[in-house]
Amino acid sequence: YMGSEVEADLKRIKVIGGDYNQGQLERLMIKDGLVADIVERYQQLAMGRKGVVFCVGIQHSKLVAEQFNRAGIWAEHLDGTMKPDERRAILARLRAGEIRIVTNAQVLCEGWDEPSVAYIGLARPTKSLGLYIQQAGRGLRICPEIEKTDCVIIDHGNNVNRHGHLLDKREWSLEGGRNLQNAQRYKCCPACREWISRSAQRCPLCSYTPNTIPVRHLPPPPPHPLHIEYKKLLCYARAMSRKPGWAYFALIEKHGHEKVHKAMTAIEAKRFQDEIFRRKA
């Protein structure tokens, strides 16, 4: 659970109906530095993972998707003004791995489930504890099909300091309101940006202390299903004394050139070939 390198100044944003004024908030969050940080942090901490970015409004969501595409990361925007068939098609492409990121404005917060999502970008600051938990929770489904073991959540809205950590224990009441008396306050580790207790003298993730500059080792992203299938085809090709190219064209014949091209670069394909064909019998 990581924090952002760039923090938005929300002091001048009005609060209406218990949450930030959406118009003012969106104008703040579409600033170049804030949008660019979303893509940069994804590249640093979650590259290759399938994920969702929760944005403030339609303009914000479209801009974030555009920045991802400019960086060579396939992304699409989704909002409530689109026709249901169009929205379903976008989510189907995410499920199939044809795109990596879906940005959205107030659509996927609840009632949507995609277990293969392993990255969540919280680009919408909110005063609503429920909304905060709903957004972050979209990435916490288990998915044995891709051997998913974790989810990278990057909080670009400083929601942790507003509501506590996602995994904090909370006391819920039918009388309304929420008990924050025992909620821990957090700070971002200056080295790895992990949210840690404000009183911590040492980061439990990267071992940072004020006198050290650690090297952080991030867990690898879950393997793409097409990568796994390609390796199996390469193993079969090797066993049958066929060339590596046979496996690649067999994959294209089954899934189509565009889908394979989006899921696997030529460099990755060559690395898999070398890995399988250089193994000792």
Side-chain angles (χ1 to χ4, degrees):
Y1 198 167
M2 311 295 174
S4 175
E5 295 281 0
V6 183
E7 189 171 316
D9 184 3
L10 302 172
K11 294 178 182 177
R12 297 185 179 181
I13 305 298
K14 295 180 179 179
V15 176
I16 299 177
D19 208 347
Y20 294 110
N21 178 279
Q22 183 172 332
Q24 291 182 342
L25 186 62
E26 185 169 23
R27 286 191 291 273
L28 172 66
M29 297 302 292
I30 62 175
K31 289 184 177 179
D32 291 343
L34 294 171
V35 172
D37 183 62
I38 297 172
V39 179
E40 290 171 5
R41 295 294 285 164
Y42 173 82
Q43 291 173 316
Q44 293 168 1
L45 302 173
M47 190 63 179
R49 290 173 179 255
K50 188 186 299 184
V52 176
V53 180
F54 292 97
C55 301
V56 181
I58 294 176
Q59 182 183 0
H60 185 211
S61 179
K62 288 182 176 179
L63 185 58
V64 173
E66 180 182 338
Q67 290 294 321
F68 269 108
N69 284 305
R70 285 183 178 179
I73 301 164
W74 294 97
E76 291 192 54
H77 152 82
L78 185 151
D79 66 69
T81 67
M82 295 178 171
K83 295 181 180 179
D85 287 346
E86 187 177 1
R87 296 200 299 267
R88 283 193 290 268
I90 292 172
L91 295 176
R93 287 193 286 273
L94 178 68
R95 184 179 306 111
E98 296 176 11
I99 57 177
R100 276 287 176 268
I101 302 294
V102 168
T103 66
N104 77 106
Q106 305 177 50
V107 176
L108 303 179
C109 302
E110 59 182 18
W112 174 70
D113 182 37
E114 178 50 61
S116 62
V117 164
Y119 155 74
I120 297 292
L122 300 179
R124 178 182 178 178
T126 179
K127 283 186 169 293
S128 169
L129 173 62
L131 180 59
Y132 161 62
I133 293 176
Q134 285 173 339
Q135 291 179 157
R138 297 306 97 191
L140 302 185
R141 307 295 192 271
I142 61 173
C143 188
E145 291 82 1
I146 62 169
E147 301 179 4
K148 176 181 172 182
T149 59
D150 58 14
C151 178
V152 172
I153 301 175
I154 305 178
D155 185 4
H156 299 273
N158 200 22
N159 290 298
V160 170
N161 270 335
R162 208 168 291 118
H163 304 293
H165 198 284
L166 183 65
L167 301 181
D168 280 346
K169 292 184 179 180
R170 293 179 170 83
E171 294 183 9
W172 301 96
S173 171
L174 296 177
E175 298 176 359
R178 51 193 172 96
N179 182 7
L180 290 179
Q181 292 180 355
N182 298 321
Q184 285 184 292
R185 292 307 176 193
Y186 295 84
K187 63 182 178 182
C188 266
C189 169
C192 70
R193 305 303 294 174
E194 175 77 4
W195 286 107
I196 61 177
S197 172
R198 190 168 294 279
S199 61
Q201 299 299 313
R202 177 177 177 272
C203 177
L205 183 65
C206 73
S207 301
Y208 172 85
T209 66
N211 298 321
T212 62
I213 302 178
V215 177
R216 183 172 179 222
H217 299 285
L218 291 171
H224 192 283
L226 285 187
H227 293 184
I228 298 174
E229 185 175 349
Y230 183 51
K231 286 185 177 182
K232 290 180 179 178
L233 287 170
L234 285 169
C235 289
Y236 178 79
R238 185 176 184 274
M240 300 300 293
S241 300
R242 295 183 177 181
K243 294 182 178 180
W246 175 87
Y248 188 75
F249 286 110
L251 195 69
I252 289 178
E253 184 177 358
K254 181 177 180 181
H255 297 284
H257 183 274
E258 184 177 358
K259 185 175 180 179
V260 173
H261 177 71
K262 288 181 178 180
M264 181 168 54
T265 65
I267 295 176
E268 288 175 322
K270 183 63 167 60
R271 176 164 55 84
F272 294 146
Q273 291 175 12
D274 292 342
E275 177 186 338
I276 302 299
F277 275 77
R278 287 180 182 177
R279 290 177 180 172
K280 293 182 179 181

